[in-house]
Amino acid sequence: MHVVATAGHVDHGKSTLVRALTGMEPDRLEEERRRGLTIELGYAWTSLPSGERLAFVDVPGHERFLATMLAGVGPAPAVMFVVAADEGWMPQSEEHLAALEALGVRHGLLAVTRADLADPGPATAQAAARLARAGLGGVERVAVSGRTGEGLDGLRAVLDRLVARLPAPDPRAPVRVWIDRVFTVRGSGTVVTGTLPAGTVAVGDELALPSGAARVRAVECLKEAVPSVAGVARVALNLRASAAPERGQALVTPGAWTWTDVVDVRIHLVGPAADSGEDGPALPPRLTAHIGSAAAACDVRPLGGPIARLRLGRPLPLHLGDVLLLRDPGHSAAVRVLAGATVLDPRPPALRRRGAAGERAAELAEAAPDARSLLRTHRLLRTADLRAMGCAPEGEPVSGDWHADPAHWIRLRERLPGAVGRYAAEHPLEPGMPVEVARRALGLPDRRLVTSLVAPPLAVHDGRIVTGSGDRAAALPPAVAAAVERLRAELAARPFLAPEAGRLAELGLGPKEVAAAVRTGALLRVAEGVVLPAGADLRAAELLARLPQPFTVSEARRALDSSRRVMVPLLEHLDRRGLTERVDDLRRRCRTPS
């Protein structure tokens, strides 16, 4: 199906025309029918000559209901602009056109109504000229009378050609339904309605509201119960929600949108504001931003040229490339719609430095709505972040699901060796820089990014970034390496008689030096306070294997010419390594290598 919204000045026959085309009454309220004035959004539908189904969203034309008009037009992909032949272009015609221009609507038609009351030629020419200035110069035009039926067949044919030209929506796109009506059905509960521009909604789906999750209990499209519906469509959804939804909220695919109250945008002035000829957008500092059926107060901070930052009064689910309409909520101007604002970044960085606003404006001046522009700003983003911001990732991740700006990734790779070198100079007794310390030094959000940056001659061993030479002792400072050699020389005659802590200190091996030598494999710590040269455990196992098996601790002590202080923890170490095993409480035996 297709959805078309109406637009035009009050009392120019929008509802009459919809009624004549569909045979349905779009004005739902008794007050509307009594006054002959559309107050709320109306809905009606019909089948076109081609068999395509078409739903209309009928909007009010009175200036007091501009916000309601925007709620109806915002999600619709096309518009039927209505001008009366006997009155021509009017103030609300101008304001509605400014709204369409701000929202970037490029598909529509011009219906000149009341053709039975006046020559439609002058009104058609005047309206066509105004539409052309707003980027709608190519729309077809038709003169009609909702009262007599004149021109209705031609209008249906024009509508058929219009919907045939509309771009096909993606049924797999993330869902965002801006709620334009909420009501309760006895026995069923809460029902919301809205326009589904793309994606698919099915019974059982779990969607998200600002207040929490909502499960779809039933789906209706044009009063028909269906198991699922794909956009574009008018939908009514029966929901089970943790909190009551409200008009102006959006029902969205969880995790697929960025809920944000600060956005960087490119401003496009429309209407009289655009005719002023000013170089930059001169906007009031406080406006109302509209998107879909939502309206939120916003503060406008110009950054430079057409770039501005909007701070919204409440978070909205937005994507890169979304268009917000900026409106002056006051009544001083004839046309209160001032500009369109295209979202360039739904998660903009803070501006803390002097001159940061100007730099940001220059950065965004030529920015395209794609992943590359986001990565230039944010440098590193996960795949899910990019999709929630409204664009598919380009290229392969640099690590896990992380994508990086190429220039930033090169700079990080160039910085890492320097960071490792500085850490080695400041911590000479450590064998390398811990990956976590490197992560903090480079300002990275994930340790996996650090390991992906490591390249020869650097390598990662035991959670540390080390030089990749393979000489583990070479990582020791010269003074510690010399102390280790002194210890080896002292133990040459009795290699298993580990010195006491005091003697180790005299040799230049305090606790930090011992720890460094143990980490690099230059020394073997079999227990606290028991340190031997590297390889001593393998040599001990070799000598113990020559004893009659099994053997006691005393027999092992005599064979290795050591002390009980050393022998007990050394044998326990050999047990752990699988070189020896206990036979009973007193004896062990060497294990035969498999």
Side-chain angles (χ1 to χ4, degrees), residues 50-69:
S50 65
E52 293 285 343
R53 301 185 80 186
L54 175 63
F56 289 99
V57 179
D58 187 36
V59 307
H62 196 282
E63 63 176 351
R64 287 168 47 201
F65 307 118
L66 177 62
T68 303
M69 176 269 180

Side-chain angles (χ1 to χ4, degrees), residues 149-431:
E150 175 189 349
L152 287 181
D153 288 342
L155 177 56
R156 292 187 179 95
V158 170
L159 285 166
D160 241 338
R161 291 193 289 273
L162 170 63
V163 299
R165 294 192 300 270
L166 294 178
D170 182 358
R172 298 166 300 175
V175 167
R176 181 175 62 180
V177 177
W178 292 103
I179 298 171
D180 52 35
R181 189 181 173 207
V182 182
F183 55 93
T184 301
V185 175
R186 181 174 296 179
S188 296
T190 301
V191 176
V192 302
T193 67
T195 298
L196 174 67
T200 301
V201 176
V203 174
D205 282 355
E206 185 168 293
L207 300 176
L209 286 164
S211 56
R215 186 168 296 278
V216 179
R217 301 173 62 186
V219 179
E220 280 193 4
C221 182
L222 307 186
K223 295 290 187 180
E224 297 177 4
V226 292
S228 66
V229 62
V232 175
R234 283 294 303 175
V235 295
L237 306 176
N238 179 208
L239 302 178
R240 180 185 291 114
S242 55
E246 300 176 5
R247 175 172 171 169
Q249 293 180 339
L251 197 62
V252 302
T253 301
W257 300 84
T258 297
W259 289 87
T260 179
D261 59 359
V262 180
V263 289
D264 282 351
V265 298
R266 178 179 288 112
I267 300 294
H268 171 60
L269 298 175
V270 297
D275 297 335
S276 65
E278 298 181 18
D279 293 336
L283 296 174
R286 185 78 168 169
L287 294 172
T288 299
H290 294 262
I291 182 169
S293 60
C298 73
D299 295 323
V300 181
R301 178 184 177 182
L303 301 183
I307 309 301
R309 176 161 294 185
L310 306 182
R311 188 170 296 277
L312 304 170
R314 61 186 173 97
L316 298 175
L318 298 178
H319 270 175
L320 191 72
D322 275 341
V323 178
L324 293 90
L325 181 146
L326 302 182
R327 177 175 70 94
D328 187 345
H331 296 275
S332 57
V335 176
R336 292 162 289 159
V337 174
L338 301 179
T342 302
V343 176
L344 301 178
D345 192 338
R347 266 178 44 184
L351 302 175
R352 295 190 176 96
R353 295 181 295 102
R354 183 185 296 273
E359 293 173 6
R360 180 67 170 152
E363 178 185 5
L364 293 176
E366 304 299 328
D370 57 24
R372 281 175 293 180
S373 70
L374 288 176
L375 286 170
R376 275 194 296 272
T377 294
H378 296 275
R379 299 183 176 180
L380 292 161
L381 289 169
R382 292 179 182 271
T383 299
D385 294 330
L386 284 166
R387 295 193 183 281
M389 295 168 83
C391 55
E394 299 177 11
E396 294 299 316
V398 295
S399 179
D401 60 346
W402 287 100
H403 295 260
D405 172 57
H408 180 60
W409 193 248
I410 290 172
R411 289 193 296 270
L412 288 171
R413 197 181 292 277
E414 292 172 345
R415 286 173 55 196
L416 182 59
V420 173
R422 287 190 297 274
Y423 189 87
E426 295 167 3
H427 305 83
L429 298 181
E430 294 191 26

